[in-house]
Amino acid sequence: VPDGDAWTLDLRLAAPRPEREAEAVTDAFAGTLGPVPFALPEHMVALFRMRRSLPALWSGREQLVAERGIPGMIEFETNFANLTSGMGCLDEFLPHVGDEVIVVGTRPPEDAGAPQPALRVPDGALVWPLRDSESIARTLRVTFFNTIGIVNAQGRGLALLPETETYRGVRIDTARYGDPHESEMGAMGGGGLPLRYNFAPSMALVHDHLVIASSDRIVRQIVDAFAEGPAPAPGAVNAGLWIDPAEARAMLLRNREALVAKTMLDSGLARAEAEQRIDLVLEAAALLRDARLTVEETDEGQAVCLRAVVGASR
């Protein structure tokens, strides 16, 4: 439908709940989403939220995955116990996990005074509410550093250097890559740092929420966002993906040169042709003003809702 100088597409596909449903799916139903527990961070590219009982899903995993996937899940449980000094995933860890999963991505700030990766990717964080978080805080930190140790052992010299800081009373554990090798600096040719310098794996406990992030930058953003208080949420929604097209396009614009170079390399195009192809993508991205995909679920039925707002660039 027309909406000022734009067009809005609203699509809703609804169906009653099936008469026969996997017990794990029924048990995992945990109601609708409440307010986001923190203010939406600045320069947020995307937000994903899901309300489900993870212990119920894991308990009924054999109903939800193909038989060939079971050995992999058993292997995961074994590795999980090794990393956590013997903690059982189902009986000791998941009971501490709340019924919501939040994933947030933000556009990292530009720092004109420091070298930047040639290809920038959004900072991302997984945010899990925890019950009695302090009782497992030490185990979670040990797990984080155990994981970093294993990554370093298999990293072929690309070591992650652990460090800890306190920000607004919150302890943030981070692992950061050291300086690039001289050979990499030569290969970069002024085009920026290698891709891995987008990442500084981090972990923190923020207001009874476990935050596992791709960088310490976004952890600090989330600490600040919790201090600002909760953000409202749409009613009757159990899961959803919200995208900010303006921030997503800003990420593409920041990476224009890297995307042109990659297009030239992958497709064998001349620079002018590669630039034309990338600029068409950027022009198309400028038309999208809003995008969201949500799932509504009750005891009676389910619905998938898509909204997209398209209009000439402002």
Side-chain angles (χ1 to χ4, degrees):
V1 296
D3 181 13
D5 59 348
W7 285 78
T8 298
L9 168 68
D10 276 314
L11 180 64
R12 188 173 189 272
L13 303 176
R17 295 188 73 92
E19 293 183 6
R20 300 184 63 183
E21 187 174 56
E23 185 177 345
V25 174
T26 304
D27 291 345
F29 179 69
T32 58
L33 294 170
V36 185
F38 49 84
L40 299 182
E42 187 179 10
H43 302 305
M44 189 183 76
V45 177
L47 172 71
F48 171 78
R49 300 179 68 199
M50 180 180 70
R51 186 93 192 271
R52 289 291 185 275
S53 168
L54 295 183
L57 288 175
W58 194 259
S59 297
R61 58 194 178 279
E62 294 183 5
Q63 305 172 32
L64 304 175
V65 302
E67 185 176 352
R68 63 178 179 273
I70 299 299
M73 302 188 84
I74 294 173
E75 181 181 4
F76 169 82
E77 288 186 313
T78 301
N79 292 335
F80 183 88
N82 291 336
L83 288 172
T84 58
S85 303
M87 175 181 283
C89 180
L90 178 60
D91 57 350
E92 294 181 86
F93 174 68
L94 288 180
H96 288 277
V97 176
D99 293 331
E100 181 176 1
V101 175
I102 304 172
V103 180
V104 61
T106 62
R107 177 165 57 93
E110 295 190 49
D111 186 353
Q116 302 291 315
L119 181 66
R120 297 304 304 271
V121 301
D123 289 334
L126 170 67
V127 184
W128 263 347
L130 294 179
R131 304 182 181 98
D132 193 21
S133 59
E134 289 302 318
S135 68
I136 61 168
R138 183 178 181 279
T139 298
L140 291 173
R141 292 188 179 106
V142 169
T143 301
F144 176 80
F145 288 113
N146 282 347
T147 303
I148 296 303
I150 291 173
V151 171
N152 284 341
Q154 300 176 350
R156 300 177 183 177
L158 302 179
L160 285 161
L161 308 176
E163 58 185 59
T164 297
E165 68 168 303
T166 300
Y167 178 74
R168 298 185 71 165
V170 175
R171 171 175 168 161
I172 304 174
D173 294 314
T174 301
R176 205 179 305 279
Y177 284 107
D179 294 335
H181 298 305
E182 291 184 6
S183 59
E184 291 181 301
M185 296 296 291
M188 284 183 281
L193 295 170
L195 180 66
R196 69 177 182 274
Y197 287 93
N198 283 284
F199 306 106
S202 302
M203 191 205 80
L205 287 173
V206 186
H207 290 270
D208 292 326
H209 286 70
L210 171 64
V211 179
I212 302 174
S214 65
S215 77
D216 52 326
R217 289 185 300 263
I218 191 171
V219 177
R220 288 190 290 272
Q221 280 185 284
I222 290 174
V223 172
D224 293 338
F226 267 102
E228 294 180 29
V237 171
N238 304 92
L241 172 65
W242 293 264
I243 297 174
D244 186 327
E247 292 294 343
R249 184 172 184 270
M251 285 295 309
L252 290 173
L253 281 170
R254 179 184 289 187
N255 288 314
R256 180 183 180 277
E257 183 60 34
L259 293 171
V260 168
K262 189 174 188 307
T263 301
M264 293 171 63
L265 181 64
D266 293 346
S267 304
L269 298 176
R271 181 175 182 83
E273 294 175 300
E275 287 182 331
Q276 184 179 32
R277 181 176 294 186
I278 296 302
D279 287 341
L280 282 174
V281 173
L282 291 172
E283 290 172 12
L287 298 176
L288 187 63
R289 297 188 185 177
D290 188 19
R292 62 189 66 183
L293 179 67
T294 57
V295 177
E296 301 171 1
E297 186 175 351
T298 66
D299 291 334
E300 290 75 34
Q302 301 163 316
V304 177
C305 306
L306 170 67
R307 163 167 282 205
V309 179
V310 180
S313 58
R314 295 172 176 172

